[in-house]
Amino acid sequence: MSKVILALETSCDDSAVAVMKDGTLASHVVATQLVHKDYGGVVPELAARAHQRYIVPLVDRALREASCQRGEVDAIAVTQGPGLMGSLMVGVSFANGYGFASGIPLLPVHHIKAHLLANLLSHDDLHLPALGIVVSGGHTQLIEVVSSTEMRLLGSSLDDAVGEVIDKSMRLLGGPYPGGAAMEKLAKAGNPRRFPYPMAKTAPFHFSFSGVKTAFLYHLQREEEQCTGFTERNKADLAASIQWTLMNTVVVKVEEAMAKVGHTTLLVGGGVARNGLLRALLKARADEKGWLLLMPLPAFCTDNAAMVGIAGYHLWEAGVRESHVVPMARMAF
Ligand code: KG4
Ligand code: ZN
């Protein structure tokens, strides 16, 4: 009999469910919440309500696509944190109820660890110990990965996350929310060297992106004052230049951190890891330095439940069995 884990992800604005059978992904579904588009960012209360509407149909669909009955589930992996409290509560409450009613254990998953473990969905081995970098809408963090369950935070952004700056910059350029995919598309037609933006100098393992975010805003305001329509006329060069600065800042900090920790494996994760420029820059650096570079498949970079499922499977293998999970908006490693 195969071991079936039902996995739930509701930490932010993507409602996602996956089914793992013996550590192999059997199905995964995501409902991206469109309700936030008009606001240019996630509205926590609306996110929680949308999770509530989506969760039951998503669970039914994921089980159906995996050819599983509800009674065949052996454990439920659920994102415990970090994330938005209202959103986390929907997934965690559903998991607590399902677990109690079915008499099956829960596997509490750390969202950031899961982003790095997404690499196990396309690679058999993580070649640990490794340095991990998570670049997402809410986090930019460097992590020492000792095992699939043991990780240590080395440093993080002191202010904005990379994804946050991408989304805000794209909003200034009149783009959609979230802005990552649109920025990447727009930047393809632009000159990345046209507008040099500052790269913050920070202590090892730490990042700062609020300076570049403000520099971008002030640049647009200054130019618009002198010549209305500047932003619209130059948006491809603007997108290419800000993208170039953000991705190169990440790569410089990763290179510095790799030298400090002395590991030769680099694990990447998070929504911004979908970015083609970041992937190409990291690949070039890895080839030059002889690092082993693991990046998740694009679909498993942005929030998804497959990564929660694989993280849950490793918790199960480590002997974790919980009867109740408490959501944590902030969660230590
Ligand atoms: O990991 P994720 O789905 O959610 C969080 O945990 O925050 O990351 C979402 C972030 C957003 O800021 C989005 O704009 C960014 O990932 N993103 C991208 C791309 N696709 C998504 N950033 C750059 N290039 C992309 N292709
Ligand atoms: Zn995430």
Side-chain angles (χ1 to χ4, degrees):
M1 272 267 286
S2 59
K3 183 69 54 206
V4 177
I5 295 177
L6 177 70
L8 312 172
E9 159 61 40
T10 67
S11 68
C12 190
D13 62 339
D14 291 302
S15 316
V17 178
V19 175
M20 306 287 296
K21 284 185 179 172
D22 289 332
T24 302
L25 186 63
S27 70
H28 74 104
V29 288
V30 186
T32 300
Q33 302 179 358
L34 302 176
V35 62
H36 310 286
K37 270 193 186 319
D38 297 340
Y39 301 91
V42 179
V43 184
E45 181 58 31
L46 295 181
R49 287 191 217 171
H51 285 308
Q52 266 176 334
R53 273 199 310 279
Y54 294 153
I55 190 109
V56 173
L58 283 176
V59 166
D60 283 344
R61 209 176 112 202
L63 287 172
R64 200 169 54 242
E65 288 182 12
S67 304
C68 263
Q69 303 294 322
R70 286 187 196 186
E72 286 176 75
V73 177
D74 295 298
I76 304 178
V78 63
T79 302
Q80 180 177 24
L84 299 171
M85 184 45 91
S87 291
L88 290 166
M89 270 173 62
V90 177
V92 167
S93 305
F94 183 92
N96 283 334
Y98 198 128
F100 182 71
S102 309
I104 56 173
L106 305 176
L107 307 164
V109 170
H110 190 290
H111 182 79
I112 304 296
K113 288 185 182 179
H115 267 304
L116 293 175
L117 296 177
N119 284 293
L120 282 170
L121 296 162
S122 48
H123 300 91
D124 291 338
D125 190 351
L126 293 181
H127 299 271
L128 302 177
L131 178 74
I133 167 92
V134 172
V135 271
S136 73
H139 298 86
T140 306
Q141 298 190 322
L142 283 161
I143 296 143
E144 181 156 51
V145 185
V146 180
S147 72
S148 59
T149 52
E150 194 188 340
M151 302 192 195
R152 194 165 67 89
L153 180 65
L154 299 171
S156 52
S157 177
L158 303 168
D159 36 60
D160 303 71
V162 190
E164 213 173 324
V165 179
I166 290 173
D167 294 340
K168 286 180 178 154
S169 306
M170 274 314 286
R171 193 161 192 216
L172 294 174
L173 297 182
Y177 173 83
M183 173 178 277
E184 193 170 357
K185 197 165 161 219
L186 193 56
K188 285 206 167 80
N191 173 6
R193 314 261 168 185
R194 169 105 184 266
F195 304 115
Y197 294 111
M199 283 195 199
K201 292 205 174 25
T202 43
F205 306 122
H206 293 286
F207 303 83
S208 170
F209 292 103
S210 67
V212 63
K213 180 186 73 176
T214 311
F216 189 71
L217 170 69
Y218 287 174
H219 177 218
L220 297 191
Q221 285 177 343
R222 222 170 33 241
E223 296 284 356
E224 279 293 334
E225 258 169 38
Q226 286 172 11
C227 185
T228 312
F230 168 86
T231 307
E232 186 55 32
R233 277 195 307 281
N234 296 285
K235 62 184 182 187
D237 287 348
L238 288 163
S241 299
I242 188 83
Q243 178 182 253
W244 193 93
T245 308
L246 293 172
M247 301 313 167
N248 273 285
T249 307
V250 171
V251 174
V252 166
K253 296 301 294 182
V254 163
E255 189 176 348
E256 180 189 71
M258 281 299 273
K260 286 225 173 286
V261 294
H263 302 323
T264 51
T265 307
L266 176 64
L267 303 180
V268 187
V272 181
R274 273 184 102 117
N275 186 271
L277 174 65
L278 180 62
R279 292 174 90 94
L281 289 171
L282 287 173
K283 166 107 181 35
R285 204 54 56 98
D287 288 349
E288 184 191 316
K289 300 275 179 186
W291 306 334
L292 175 69
L293 171 67
L294 302 187
M295 297 187 282
L297 296 172
F300 300 136
C301 289
T302 34
D303 288 348
N304 65 86
M307 69 183 195
V308 177
I310 194 77
Y313 175 73
H314 281 261
L315 289 174
W316 175 279
E317 291 289 289
V320 174
R321 310 280 187 273
E322 299 289 340
S323 56
H324 186 78
V325 176
V326 176
M328 298 177 81
R330 288 170 167 273
M331 190 174 169
F333 273 78

